[in-house]
PDB file of all heavy atoms in Angstrom:
ATOM      1  N   VAL N   1     -15.009  -3.742 -16.205  1.00 92.00           N
ATOM      2  CA  VAL N   1     -13.665  -3.229 -16.579  1.00 92.00           C
ATOM      3  C   VAL N   1     -12.662  -3.697 -15.613  1.00 92.00           C
ATOM      4  O   VAL N   1     -12.792  -3.448 -14.378  1.00 92.00           O
ATOM      5  CB  VAL N   1     -13.605  -1.635 -16.698  1.00 92.00           C
ATOM      6  CG1 VAL N   1     -12.192  -1.191 -17.001  1.00 92.00           C
ATOM      7  CG2 VAL N   1     -14.568  -1.139 -17.739  1.00 92.00           C
ATOM      8  N   LYS N   2     -11.664  -4.415 -16.048  1.00 84.00           N
ATOM      9  CA  LYS N   2     -10.545  -4.893 -15.187  1.00 84.00           C
ATOM     10  C   LYS N   2      -9.452  -3.828 -15.178  1.00 84.00           C
ATOM     11  O   LYS N   2      -8.959  -3.443 -16.235  1.00 84.00           O
ATOM     12  CB  LYS N   2     -10.012  -6.228 -15.788  1.00 84.00           C
ATOM     13  CG  LYS N   2      -8.831  -6.754 -15.073  1.00 84.00           C
ATOM     14  CD  LYS N   2      -8.314  -8.017 -15.769  1.00 84.00           C
ATOM     15  CE  LYS N   2      -7.096  -8.572 -15.028  1.00 84.00           C
ATOM     16  NZ  LYS N   2      -6.629  -9.836 -15.742  1.00 84.00           N
ATOM     17  N   ASP N   3      -9.163  -3.416 -13.980  1.00 67.00           N
ATOM     18  CA  ASP N   3      -8.085  -2.413 -13.828  1.00 67.00           C
ATOM     19  C   ASP N   3      -6.808  -3.114 -13.342  1.00 67.00           C
ATOM     20  O   ASP N   3      -6.724  -3.589 -12.263  1.00 67.00           O
ATOM     21  CB  ASP N   3      -8.488  -1.356 -12.828  1.00 67.00           C
ATOM     22  CG  ASP N   3      -9.592  -0.434 -13.363  1.00 67.00           C
ATOM     23  OD1 ASP N   3      -9.499  -0.037 -14.559  1.00 67.00           O
ATOM     24  OD2 ASP N   3     -10.502  -0.215 -12.706  1.00 67.00           O
ATOM     25  N   THR N   4      -5.828  -3.128 -14.229  1.00 55.00           N
ATOM     26  CA  THR N   4      -4.580  -3.831 -13.942  1.00 55.00           C
ATOM     27  C   THR N   4      -3.505  -2.998 -13.273  1.00 55.00           C
ATOM     28  O   THR N   4      -2.439  -3.457 -13.072  1.00 55.00           O
ATOM     29  CB  THR N   4      -4.064  -4.460 -15.191  1.00 55.00           C
ATOM     30  OG1 THR N   4      -3.750  -3.459 -16.171  1.00 55.00           O
ATOM     31  CG2 THR N   4      -5.033  -5.501 -15.790  1.00 55.00           C
ATOM     32  N   GLY N   5      -3.834  -1.727 -13.068  1.00 50.00           N
ATOM     33  CA  GLY N   5      -2.807  -0.869 -12.480  1.00 50.00           C
ATOM     34  C   GLY N   5      -3.415   0.296 -11.656  1.00 50.00           C
ATOM     35  O   GLY N   5      -3.299   1.418 -12.058  1.00 50.00           O
ATOM     36  N   ILE N   6      -4.042  -0.046 -10.522  1.00 47.00           N
ATOM     37  CA  ILE N   6      -4.598   0.993  -9.716  1.00 47.00           C
ATOM     38  C   ILE N   6      -3.677   1.264  -8.566  1.00 47.00           C
ATOM     39  O   ILE N   6      -3.315   0.341  -7.836  1.00 47.00           O
ATOM     40  CB  ILE N   6      -6.005   0.599  -9.171  1.00 47.00           C
ATOM     41  CG1 ILE N   6      -6.938   0.231 -10.319  1.00 47.00           C
ATOM     42  CG2 ILE N   6      -6.609   1.673  -8.344  1.00 47.00           C
ATOM     43  CD1 ILE N   6      -8.277  -0.313  -9.907  1.00 47.00           C
ATOM     44  N   VAL N   7      -3.246   2.488  -8.446  1.00 42.00           N
ATOM     45  CA  VAL N   7      -2.247   2.845  -7.411  1.00 42.00           C
ATOM     46  C   VAL N   7      -2.718   3.937  -6.581  1.00 42.00           C
ATOM     47  O   VAL N   7      -3.597   4.682  -6.910  1.00 42.00           O
ATOM     48  CB  VAL N   7      -0.859   3.213  -8.072  1.00 42.00           C
ATOM     49  CG1 VAL N   7      -0.403   2.122  -8.953  1.00 42.00           C
ATOM     50  CG2 VAL N   7      -1.085   4.484  -8.891  1.00 42.00           C
ATOM     51  N   LEU N   8      -2.186   4.025  -5.361  1.00 37.00           N
ATOM     52  CA  LEU N   8      -2.514   5.109  -4.477  1.00 37.00           C
ATOM     53  C   LEU N   8      -2.090   6.463  -5.067  1.00 37.00           C
ATOM     54  O   LEU N   8      -1.066   6.564  -5.669  1.00 37.00           O
ATOM     55  CB  LEU N   8      -1.788   4.893  -3.155  1.00 37.00           C
ATOM     56  CG  LEU N   8      -2.255   3.776  -2.318  1.00 37.00           C
ATOM     57  CD1 LEU N   8      -1.336   3.585  -1.084  1.00 37.00           C
ATOM     58  CD2 LEU N   8      -3.683   3.911  -1.873  1.00 37.00           C
ATOM     59  N   SER N   9      -2.923   7.458  -4.864  1.00 39.00           N
ATOM     60  CA  SER N   9      -2.577   8.840  -5.305  1.00 39.00           C
ATOM     61  C   SER N   9      -1.526   9.380  -4.423  1.00 39.00           C
ATOM     62  O   SER N   9      -1.276   8.890  -3.324  1.00 39.00           O
ATOM     63  CB  SER N   9      -3.832   9.692  -5.323  1.00 39.00           C
ATOM     64  OG  SER N   9      -4.212   9.977  -3.945  1.00 39.00           O
ATOM     65  N   ALA N  10      -0.908  10.479  -4.867  1.00 39.00           N
ATOM     66  CA  ALA N  10       0.128  11.099  -4.070  1.00 39.00           C
ATOM     67  C   ALA N  10      -0.339  11.524  -2.675  1.00 39.00           C
ATOM     68  O   ALA N  10       0.309  11.374  -1.673  1.00 39.00           O
ATOM     69  CB  ALA N  10       0.680  12.340  -4.803  1.00 39.00           C
ATOM     70  N   ASN N  11      -1.614  12.037  -2.622  1.00 38.00           N
ATOM     71  CA  ASN N  11      -2.157  12.434  -1.351  1.00 38.00           C
ATOM     72  C   ASN N  11      -2.372  11.265  -0.429  1.00 38.00           C
ATOM     73  O   ASN N  11      -2.179  11.343   0.779  1.00 38.00           O
ATOM     74  CB  ASN N  11      -3.494  13.140  -1.563  1.00 38.00           C
ATOM     75  CG  ASN N  11      -3.384  14.495  -2.148  1.00 38.00           C
ATOM     76  OD1 ASN N  11      -2.281  15.084  -2.116  1.00 38.00           O
ATOM     77  ND2 ASN N  11      -4.401  14.999  -2.834  1.00 38.00           N
ATOM     78  N   ASP N  12      -2.729  10.106  -1.004  1.00 38.00           N
ATOM     79  CA  ASP N  12      -2.955   8.882  -0.229  1.00 38.00           C
ATOM     80  C   ASP N  12      -1.614   8.350   0.351  1.00 38.00           C
ATOM     81  O   ASP N  12      -1.588   7.841   1.450  1.00 38.00           O
ATOM     82  CB  ASP N  12      -3.577   7.827  -1.053  1.00 38.00           C
ATOM     83  CG  ASP N  12      -5.020   8.195  -1.462  1.00 38.00           C
ATOM     84  OD1 ASP N  12      -5.736   8.840  -0.662  1.00 38.00           O
ATOM     85  OD2 ASP N  12      -5.441   7.845  -2.564  1.00 38.00           O
ATOM     86  N   VAL N  13      -0.574   8.445  -0.416  1.00 39.00           N
ATOM     87  CA  VAL N  13       0.750   7.976   0.023  1.00 39.00           C
ATOM     88  C   VAL N  13       1.168   8.797   1.264  1.00 39.00           C
ATOM     89  O   VAL N  13       1.633   8.287   2.247  1.00 39.00           O
ATOM     90  CB  VAL N  13       1.782   8.038  -1.103  1.00 39.00           C
ATOM     91  CG1 VAL N  13       3.158   7.745  -0.578  1.00 39.00           C
ATOM     92  CG2 VAL N  13       1.409   7.079  -2.207  1.00 39.00           C
ATOM     93  N   LYS N  14       0.987  10.177   1.144  1.00 40.00           N
ATOM     94  CA  LYS N  14       1.366  11.014   2.246  1.00 40.00           C
ATOM     95  C   LYS N  14       0.564  10.624   3.494  1.00 40.00           C
ATOM     96  O   LYS N  14       1.029  10.580   4.600  1.00 40.00           O
ATOM     97  CB  LYS N  14       1.170  12.474   1.888  1.00 40.00           C
ATOM     98  CG  LYS N  14       2.084  12.959   0.804  1.00 40.00           C
ATOM     99  CD  LYS N  14       1.828  14.394   0.407  1.00 40.00           C
ATOM    100  CE  LYS N  14       2.746  14.897  -0.717  1.00 40.00           C
ATOM    101  NZ  LYS N  14       2.405  16.276  -1.152  1.00 40.00           N
ATOM    102  N   ALA N  15      -0.729  10.417   3.246  1.00 38.00           N
ATOM    103  CA  ALA N  15      -1.601  10.099   4.422  1.00 38.00           C
ATOM    104  C   ALA N  15      -1.253   8.754   5.040  1.00 38.00           C
ATOM    105  O   ALA N  15      -1.217   8.582   6.221  1.00 38.00           O
ATOM    106  CB  ALA N  15      -3.126  10.061   3.983  1.00 38.00           C
ATOM    107  N   SER N  16      -0.808   7.811   4.178  1.00 39.00           N
ATOM    108  CA  SER N  16      -0.423   6.492   4.662  1.00 39.00           C
ATOM    109  C   SER N  16       0.775   6.572   5.546  1.00 39.00           C
ATOM    110  O   SER N  16       0.875   5.849   6.572  1.00 39.00           O
ATOM    111  CB  SER N  16      -0.140   5.612   3.476  1.00 39.00           C
ATOM    112  OG  SER N  16      -1.267   5.357   2.729  1.00 39.00           O
ATOM    113  N   LYS N  17       1.752   7.499   5.189  1.00 42.00           N
ATOM    114  CA  LYS N  17       2.958   7.593   6.008  1.00 42.00           C
ATOM    115  C   LYS N  17       2.596   8.111   7.389  1.00 42.00           C
ATOM    116  O   LYS N  17       3.319   7.823   8.353  1.00 42.00           O
ATOM    117  CB  LYS N  17       3.950   8.532   5.321  1.00 42.00           C
ATOM    118  CG  LYS N  17       4.513   7.868   4.075  1.00 42.00           C
ATOM    119  CD  LYS N  17       5.563   8.839   3.389  1.00 42.00           C
ATOM    120  CE  LYS N  17       6.161   8.194   2.203  1.00 42.00           C
ATOM    121  NZ  LYS N  17       7.176   9.054   1.538  1.00 42.00           N
ATOM    122  N   LYS N  18       1.544   8.912   7.529  1.00 43.00           N
ATOM    123  CA  LYS N  18       1.155   9.465   8.809  1.00 43.00           C
ATOM    124  C   LYS N  18       0.334   8.533   9.620  1.00 43.00           C
ATOM    125  O   LYS N  18       0.427   8.530  10.843  1.00 43.00           O
ATOM    126  CB  LYS N  18       0.429  10.762   8.537  1.00 43.00           C
ATOM    127  CG  LYS N  18       1.198  11.895   7.909  1.00 43.00           C
ATOM    128  CD  LYS N  18       0.317  13.163   7.752  1.00 43.00           C
ATOM    129  CE  LYS N  18       1.106  14.284   7.161  1.00 43.00           C
ATOM    130  NZ  LYS N  18       0.252  15.496   6.872  1.00 43.00           N
ATOM    131  N   GLU N  19      -0.506   7.658   8.963  1.00 55.00           N
ATOM    132  CA  GLU N  19      -1.443   6.868   9.676  1.00 55.00           C
ATOM    133  C   GLU N  19      -1.186   5.328   9.390  1.00 55.00           C
ATOM    134  O   GLU N  19      -0.376   4.670  10.067  1.00 55.00           O
ATOM    135  CB  GLU N  19      -2.885   7.295   9.347  1.00 55.00           C
ATOM    136  CG  GLU N  19      -3.137   8.704   9.667  1.00 55.00           C
ATOM    137  CD  GLU N  19      -4.477   9.241   9.122  1.00 55.00           C
ATOM    138  OE1 GLU N  19      -5.105   8.456   8.453  1.00 55.00           O
ATOM    139  OE2 GLU N  19      -4.750  10.430   9.315  1.00 55.00           O
ATOM    140  N   THR N  20      -1.929   4.815   8.436  1.00 70.00           N
ATOM    141  CA  THR N  20      -1.733   3.417   8.022  1.00 70.00           C
ATOM    142  C   THR N  20      -1.626   3.367   6.550  1.00 70.00           C
ATOM    143  O   THR N  20      -2.113   4.206   5.826  1.00 70.00           O
ATOM    144  CB  THR N  20      -2.926   2.529   8.475  1.00 70.00           C
ATOM    145  OG1 THR N  20      -4.085   2.996   7.803  1.00 70.00           O
ATOM    146  CG2 THR N  20      -3.091   2.609  10.009  1.00 70.00           C
ATOM    147  N   GLY N  21      -0.982   2.303   6.033  1.00 81.00           N
ATOM    148  CA  GLY N  21      -0.867   2.117   4.611  1.00 81.00           C
ATOM    149  C   GLY N  21       0.447   1.421   4.230  1.00 81.00           C
ATOM    150  O   GLY N  21       1.193   0.895   5.031  1.00 81.00           O
ATOM    151  N   ILE N  22       0.663   1.337   2.924  1.00 87.00           N
ATOM    152  CA  ILE N  22       1.841   0.710   2.353  1.00 87.00           C
ATOM    153  C   ILE N  22       2.479   1.650   1.373  1.00 87.00           C
ATOM    154  O   ILE N  22       1.813   2.247   0.531  1.00 87.00           O
ATOM    155  CB  ILE N  22       1.465  -0.601   1.613  1.00 87.00           C
ATOM    156  CG1 ILE N  22       0.782  -1.570   2.613  1.00 87.00           C
ATOM    157  CG2 ILE N  22       2.658  -1.293   1.051  1.00 87.00           C
ATOM    158  CD1 ILE N  22       0.243  -2.834   1.981  1.00 87.00           C
ATOM    159  N   TYR N  23       3.798   1.859   1.433  1.00 84.00           N
ATOM    160  CA  TYR N  23       4.520   2.720   0.564  1.00 84.00           C
ATOM    161  C   TYR N  23       5.990   2.261   0.537  1.00 84.00           C
ATOM    162  O   TYR N  23       6.442   1.518   1.402  1.00 84.00           O
ATOM    163  CB  TYR N  23       4.435   4.168   1.137  1.00 84.00           C
ATOM    164  CG  TYR N  23       4.806   4.370   2.543  1.00 84.00           C
ATOM    165  CD1 TYR N  23       6.158   4.673   2.906  1.00 84.00           C
ATOM    166  CD2 TYR N  23       3.865   4.301   3.586  1.00 84.00           C
ATOM    167  CE1 TYR N  23       6.450   4.839   4.255  1.00 84.00           C
ATOM    168  CE2 TYR N  23       4.202   4.464   4.917  1.00 84.00           C
ATOM    169  CZ  TYR N  23       5.536   4.726   5.254  1.00 84.00           C
ATOM    170  OH  TYR N  23       5.844   4.911   6.543  1.00 84.00           O
ATOM    171  N   PRO N  24       6.765   2.699  -0.473  1.00 87.00           N
ATOM    172  CA  PRO N  24       6.376   3.476  -1.661  1.00 87.00           C
ATOM    173  C   PRO N  24       5.546   2.654  -2.646  1.00 87.00           C
ATOM    174  O   PRO N  24       5.586   1.422  -2.607  1.00 87.00           O
ATOM    175  CB  PRO N  24       7.675   3.871  -2.259  1.00 87.00           C
ATOM    176  CG  PRO N  24       8.631   2.737  -1.934  1.00 87.00           C
ATOM    177  CD  PRO N  24       8.246   2.284  -0.581  1.00 87.00           C
ATOM    178  N   ASN N  25       4.840   3.325  -3.503  1.00 80.00           N
ATOM    179  CA  ASN N  25       4.015   2.672  -4.510  1.00 80.00           C
ATOM    180  C   ASN N  25       3.990   3.537  -5.754  1.00 80.00           C
ATOM    181  O   ASN N  25       3.449   4.655  -5.688  1.00 80.00           O
ATOM    182  CB  ASN N  25       2.593   2.486  -3.940  1.00 80.00           C
ATOM    183  CG  ASN N  25       1.710   1.617  -4.884  1.00 80.00           C
ATOM    184  OD1 ASN N  25       2.266   0.952  -5.802  1.00 80.00           O
ATOM    185  ND2 ASN N  25       0.473   1.739  -4.686  1.00 80.00           N
ATOM    186  N   PRO N  26       4.589   3.106  -6.836  1.00 84.00           N
ATOM    187  CA  PRO N  26       5.215   1.803  -7.122  1.00 84.00           C
ATOM    188  C   PRO N  26       6.501   1.595  -6.303  1.00 84.00           C
ATOM    189  O   PRO N  26       7.057   2.501  -5.751  1.00 84.00           O
ATOM    190  CB  PRO N  26       5.494   1.905  -8.624  1.00 84.00           C
ATOM    191  CG  PRO N  26       4.655   2.955  -9.165  1.00 84.00           C
ATOM    192  CD  PRO N  26       4.584   3.941  -8.061  1.00 84.00           C
ATOM    193  N   THR N  27       6.925   0.318  -6.322  1.00 87.00           N
ATOM    194  CA  THR N  27       8.150  -0.012  -5.607  1.00 87.00           C
ATOM    195  C   THR N  27       9.003  -0.995  -6.422  1.00 87.00           C
ATOM    196  O   THR N  27       8.465  -1.791  -7.215  1.00 87.00           O
ATOM    197  CB  THR N  27       7.830  -0.704  -4.270  1.00 87.00           C
ATOM    198  OG1 THR N  27       9.036  -1.092  -3.604  1.00 87.00           O
ATOM    199  CG2 THR N  27       7.010  -1.989  -4.438  1.00 87.00           C
ATOM    200  N   SER N  28      10.327  -0.899  -6.259  1.00 90.00           N
ATOM    201  CA  SER N  28      11.209  -1.823  -6.876  1.00 90.00           C
ATOM    202  C   SER N  28      11.394  -3.108  -6.059  1.00 90.00           C
ATOM    203  O   SER N  28      12.021  -4.017  -6.456  1.00 90.00           O
ATOM    204  CB  SER N  28      12.580  -1.182  -7.118  1.00 90.00           C
ATOM    205  OG  SER N  28      13.112  -0.776  -5.858  1.00 90.00           O
ATOM    206  N   GLY N  29      10.841  -3.054  -4.862  1.00 91.00           N
ATOM    207  CA  GLY N  29      10.998  -4.243  -3.968  1.00 91.00           C
ATOM    208  C   GLY N  29      10.694  -3.881  -2.505  1.00 91.00           C
ATOM    209  O   GLY N  29       9.747  -4.424  -1.895  1.00 91.00           O
ATOM    210  N   PRO N  30      11.477  -3.022  -1.898  1.00 93.00           N
ATOM    211  CA  PRO N  30      11.273  -2.673  -0.492  1.00 93.00           C
ATOM    212  C   PRO N  30       9.953  -1.888  -0.230  1.00 93.00           C
ATOM    213  O   PRO N  30       9.665  -1.001  -1.053  1.00 93.00           O
ATOM    214  CB  PRO N  30      12.460  -1.794  -0.122  1.00 93.00           C
ATOM    215  CG  PRO N  30      13.481  -2.137  -1.141  1.00 93.00           C
ATOM    216  CD  PRO N  30      12.702  -2.395  -2.381  1.00 93.00           C
ATOM    217  N   ILE N  31       9.174  -2.253   0.761  1.00 92.00           N
ATOM    218  CA  ILE N  31       7.941  -1.551   1.134  1.00 92.00           C
ATOM    219  C   ILE N  31       7.937  -1.406   2.659  1.00 92.00           C
ATOM    220  O   ILE N  31       8.567  -2.126   3.341  1.00 92.00           O
ATOM    221  CB  ILE N  31       6.699  -2.266   0.695  1.00 92.00           C
ATOM    222  CG1 ILE N  31       6.564  -3.673   1.307  1.00 92.00           C
ATOM    223  CG2 ILE N  31       6.588  -2.284  -0.865  1.00 92.00           C
ATOM    224  CD1 ILE N  31       5.257  -4.352   1.007  1.00 92.00           C
ATOM    225  N   THR N  32       7.162  -0.405   3.060  1.00 90.00           N
ATOM    226  CA  THR N  32       6.867  -0.215   4.482  1.00 90.00           C
ATOM    227  C   THR N  32       5.388  -0.431   4.716  1.00 90.00           C
ATOM    228  O   THR N  32       4.523   0.266   3.971  1.00 90.00           O
ATOM    229  CB  THR N  32       7.277   1.167   4.926  1.00 90.00           C
ATOM    230  OG1 THR N  32       8.709   1.343   4.802  1.00 90.00           O
ATOM    231  CG2 THR N  32       6.896   1.418   6.428  1.00 90.00           C
ATOM    232  N   ILE N  33       5.015  -1.275   5.594  1.00 90.00           N
ATOM    233  CA  ILE N  33       3.592  -1.450   5.995  1.00 90.00           C
ATOM    234  C   ILE N  33       3.428  -0.804   7.387  1.00 90.00           C
ATOM    235  O   ILE N  33       4.048  -1.202   8.332  1.00 90.00           O
ATOM    236  CB  ILE N  33       3.233  -2.914   6.102  1.00 90.00           C
ATOM    237  CG1 ILE N  33       3.464  -3.590   4.714  1.00 90.00           C
ATOM    238  CG2 ILE N  33       1.843  -3.082   6.601  1.00 90.00           C
ATOM    239  CD1 ILE N  33       3.220  -5.093   4.781  1.00 90.00           C
ATOM    240  N   LYS N  34       2.593   0.233   7.360  1.00 89.00           N
ATOM    241  CA  LYS N  34       2.326   0.906   8.611  1.00 89.00           C
ATOM    242  C   LYS N  34       0.895   0.562   9.064  1.00 89.00           C
ATOM    243  O   LYS N  34      -0.099   0.816   8.345  1.00 89.00           O
ATOM    244  CB  LYS N  34       2.476   2.422   8.474  1.00 89.00           C
ATOM    245  CG  LYS N  34       2.549   3.158   9.845  1.00 89.00           C
ATOM    246  CD  LYS N  34       3.001   4.566   9.639  1.00 89.00           C
ATOM    247  CE  LYS N  34       3.139   5.244  10.987  1.00 89.00           C
ATOM    248  NZ  LYS N  34       3.592   6.694  10.858  1.00 89.00           N
ATOM    249  N   THR N  35       0.755   0.007  10.252  1.00 87.00           N
ATOM    250  CA  THR N  35      -0.580  -0.444  10.663  1.00 87.00           C
ATOM    251  C   THR N  35      -0.830  -0.096  12.121  1.00 87.00           C
ATOM    252  O   THR N  35       0.139   0.017  12.903  1.00 87.00           O
ATOM    253  CB  THR N  35      -0.656  -1.987  10.487  1.00 87.00           C
ATOM    254  OG1 THR N  35      -1.922  -2.455  11.046  1.00 87.00           O
ATOM    255  CG2 THR N  35       0.457  -2.716  11.213  1.00 87.00           C
ATOM    256  N   ALA N  36      -2.073   0.106  12.515  1.00 83.00           N
ATOM    257  CA  ALA N  36      -2.447   0.373  13.871  1.00 83.00           C
ATOM    258  C   ALA N  36      -2.601  -0.853  14.718  1.00 83.00           C
ATOM    259  O   ALA N  36      -2.714  -0.787  15.946  1.00 83.00           O
ATOM    260  CB  ALA N  36      -3.740   1.196  13.861  1.00 83.00           C
ATOM    261  N   ASN N  37      -2.613  -2.022  14.044  1.00 85.00           N
ATOM    262  CA  ASN N  37      -2.770  -3.302  14.782  1.00 85.00           C
ATOM    263  C   ASN N  37      -1.861  -4.347  14.184  1.00 85.00           C
ATOM    264  O   ASN N  37      -1.559  -4.331  13.003  1.00 85.00           O
ATOM    265  CB  ASN N  37      -4.214  -3.740  14.667  1.00 85.00           C
ATOM    266  CG  ASN N  37      -5.195  -2.741  15.283  1.00 85.00           C
ATOM    267  OD1 ASN N  37      -5.291  -2.569  16.456  1.00 85.00           O
ATOM    268  ND2 ASN N  37      -5.948  -2.119  14.380  1.00 85.00           N
ATOM    269  N   SER N  38      -1.489  -5.304  15.005  1.00 88.00           N
ATOM    270  CA  SER N  38      -0.720  -6.426  14.524  1.00 88.00           C
ATOM    271  C   SER N  38      -1.617  -7.312  13.671  1.00 88.00           C
ATOM    272  O   SER N  38      -2.781  -7.444  13.937  1.00 88.00           O
ATOM    273  CB  SER N  38      -0.122  -7.231  15.687  1.00 88.00           C
ATOM    274  OG  SER N  38       0.743  -6.423  16.467  1.00 88.00           O
ATOM    275  N   GLY N  39      -0.972  -7.962  12.663  1.00 89.00           N
ATOM    276  CA  GLY N  39      -1.858  -8.821  11.792  1.00 89.00           C
ATOM    277  C   GLY N  39      -1.039  -9.331  10.622  1.00 89.00           C
ATOM    278  O   GLY N  39       0.135  -9.046  10.399  1.00 89.00           O
ATOM    279  N   LYS N  40      -1.735 -10.184   9.857  1.00 92.00           N
ATOM    280  CA  LYS N  40      -1.128 -10.788   8.662  1.00 92.00           C
ATOM    281  C   LYS N  40      -1.566 -10.107   7.430  1.00 92.00           C
ATOM    282  O   LYS N  40      -2.749  -9.776   7.205  1.00 92.00           O
ATOM    283  CB  LYS N  40      -1.547 -12.288   8.631  1.00 92.00           C
ATOM    284  CG  LYS N  40      -0.978 -13.029   7.471  1.00 92.00           C
ATOM    285  CD  LYS N  40      -1.244 -14.540   7.576  1.00 92.00           C
ATOM    286  CE  LYS N  40      -2.732 -14.829   7.528  1.00 92.00           C
ATOM    287  NZ  LYS N  40      -2.997 -16.302   7.568  1.00 92.00           N
ATOM    288  N   TYR N  41      -0.584  -9.792   6.501  1.00 92.00           N
ATOM    289  CA  TYR N  41      -0.833  -9.236   5.247  1.00 92.00           C
ATOM    290  C   TYR N  41      -0.520 -10.268   4.171  1.00 92.00           C
ATOM    291  O   TYR N  41       0.612 -10.815   4.129  1.00 92.00           O
ATOM    292  CB  TYR N  41      -0.012  -8.003   5.035  1.00 92.00           C
ATOM    293  CG  TYR N  41      -0.521  -6.755   5.774  1.00 92.00           C
ATOM    294  CD1 TYR N  41      -0.331  -6.646   7.149  1.00 92.00           C
ATOM    295  CD2 TYR N  41      -1.217  -5.721   5.118  1.00 92.00           C
ATOM    296  CE1 TYR N  41      -0.801  -5.549   7.851  1.00 92.00           C
ATOM    297  CE2 TYR N  41      -1.686  -4.615   5.781  1.00 92.00           C
ATOM    298  CZ  TYR N  41      -1.487  -4.551   7.137  1.00 92.00           C
ATOM    299  OH  TYR N  41      -1.981  -3.434   7.839  1.00 92.00           O
ATOM    300  N   GLU N  42      -1.480 -10.530   3.270  1.00 91.00           N
ATOM    301  CA  GLU N  42      -1.277 -11.519   2.229  1.00 91.00           C
ATOM    302  C   GLU N  42      -1.124 -10.798   0.907  1.00 91.00           C
ATOM    303  O   GLU N  42      -1.937  -9.893   0.604  1.00 91.00           O
ATOM    304  CB  GLU N  42      -2.469 -12.491   2.180  1.00 91.00           C
ATOM    305  CG  GLU N  42      -2.574 -13.337   3.472  1.00 91.00           C
ATOM    306  CD  GLU N  42      -3.726 -14.305   3.425  1.00 91.00           C
ATOM    307  OE1 GLU N  42      -4.732 -13.959   2.775  1.00 91.00           O
ATOM    308  OE2 GLU N  42      -3.629 -15.355   4.023  1.00 91.00           O
ATOM    309  N   VAL N  43      -0.242 -11.213   0.075  1.00 91.00           N
ATOM    310  CA  VAL N  43       0.055 -10.619  -1.234  1.00 91.00           C
ATOM    311  C   VAL N  43      -0.390 -11.578  -2.316  1.00 91.00           C
ATOM    312  O   VAL N  43       0.051 -12.713  -2.287  1.00 91.00           O
ATOM    313  CB  VAL N  43       1.582 -10.321  -1.425  1.00 91.00           C
ATOM    314  CG1 VAL N  43       1.812  -9.632  -2.744  1.00 91.00           C
ATOM    315  CG2 VAL N  43       2.119  -9.470  -0.239  1.00 91.00           C
ATOM    316  N   TYR N  44      -1.264 -11.084  -3.189  1.00 87.00           N
ATOM    317  CA  TYR N  44      -1.856 -11.916  -4.236  1.00 87.00           C
ATOM    318  C   TYR N  44      -1.394 -11.383  -5.607  1.00 87.00           C
ATOM    319  O   TYR N  44      -1.369 -10.189  -5.824  1.00 87.00           O
ATOM    320  CB  TYR N  44      -3.386 -11.880  -4.134  1.00 87.00           C
ATOM    321  CG  TYR N  44      -3.934 -12.602  -2.940  1.00 87.00           C
ATOM    322  CD1 TYR N  44      -4.132 -11.894  -1.753  1.00 87.00           C
ATOM    323  CD2 TYR N  44      -4.301 -13.973  -3.035  1.00 87.00           C
ATOM    324  CE1 TYR N  44      -4.645 -12.513  -0.681  1.00 87.00           C
ATOM    325  CE2 TYR N  44      -4.864 -14.598  -1.914  1.00 87.00           C
ATOM    326  CZ  TYR N  44      -5.018 -13.903  -0.753  1.00 87.00           C
ATOM    327  OH  TYR N  44      -5.526 -14.496   0.357  1.00 87.00           O
ATOM    328  N   SER N  45      -1.171 -12.306  -6.544  1.00 86.00           N
ATOM    329  CA  SER N  45      -0.913 -11.937  -7.902  1.00 86.00           C
ATOM    330  C   SER N  45      -2.205 -11.565  -8.593  1.00 86.00           C
ATOM    331  O   SER N  45      -3.287 -11.732  -8.018  1.00 86.00           O
ATOM    332  CB  SER N  45      -0.244 -13.131  -8.621  1.00 86.00           C
ATOM    333  OG  SER N  45      -1.172 -14.178  -8.758  1.00 86.00           O
ATOM    334  N   GLN N  46      -2.163 -11.090  -9.857  1.00 75.00           N
ATOM    335  CA  GLN N  46      -3.344 -10.751 -10.624  1.00 75.00           C
ATOM    336  C   GLN N  46      -4.211 -11.956 -10.902  1.00 75.00           C
ATOM    337  O   GLN N  46      -5.457 -11.790 -11.040  1.00 75.00           O
ATOM    338  CB  GLN N  46      -2.979 -10.082 -11.921  1.00 75.00           C
ATOM    339  CG  GLN N  46      -2.483  -8.632 -11.755  1.00 75.00           C
ATOM    340  CD  GLN N  46      -2.245  -7.999 -13.129  1.00 75.00           C
ATOM    341  OE1 GLN N  46      -1.082  -7.815 -13.523  1.00 75.00           O
ATOM    342  NE2 GLN N  46      -3.235  -7.648 -13.831  1.00 75.00           N
TER     343      GLN N  46
END
């Protein structure tokens, strides 16, 4: 089964804001990447 729209749950978004993660999700464009380490994030299409 191909899942074309898997998103973080509300609880996961809250946890991401406290620790690591990407939010808001869904987004109209702007996002925040919160990470414990420096690094490269790659964005892939479907």
Side-chain angles (χ1 to χ4, degrees):
V1 177
K2 175 182 178 180
D3 289 315
T4 60
I6 303 174
V7 302
L8 292 173
S9 69
N11 289 338
D12 293 325
V13 172
K14 292 177 182 178
S16 295
K17 291 182 178 181
K18 294 179 180 178
E19 300 169 1
T20 63
I22 300 177
Y23 53 90
N25 187 17
T27 178
S28 59
I31 60 171
T32 297
I33 299 176
K34 194 168 185 180
T35 176
N37 300 288
S38 299
K40 181 170 64 175
Y41 283 75
E42 295 179 330
V43 183
Y44 292 87
S45 67
Q46 283 184 255

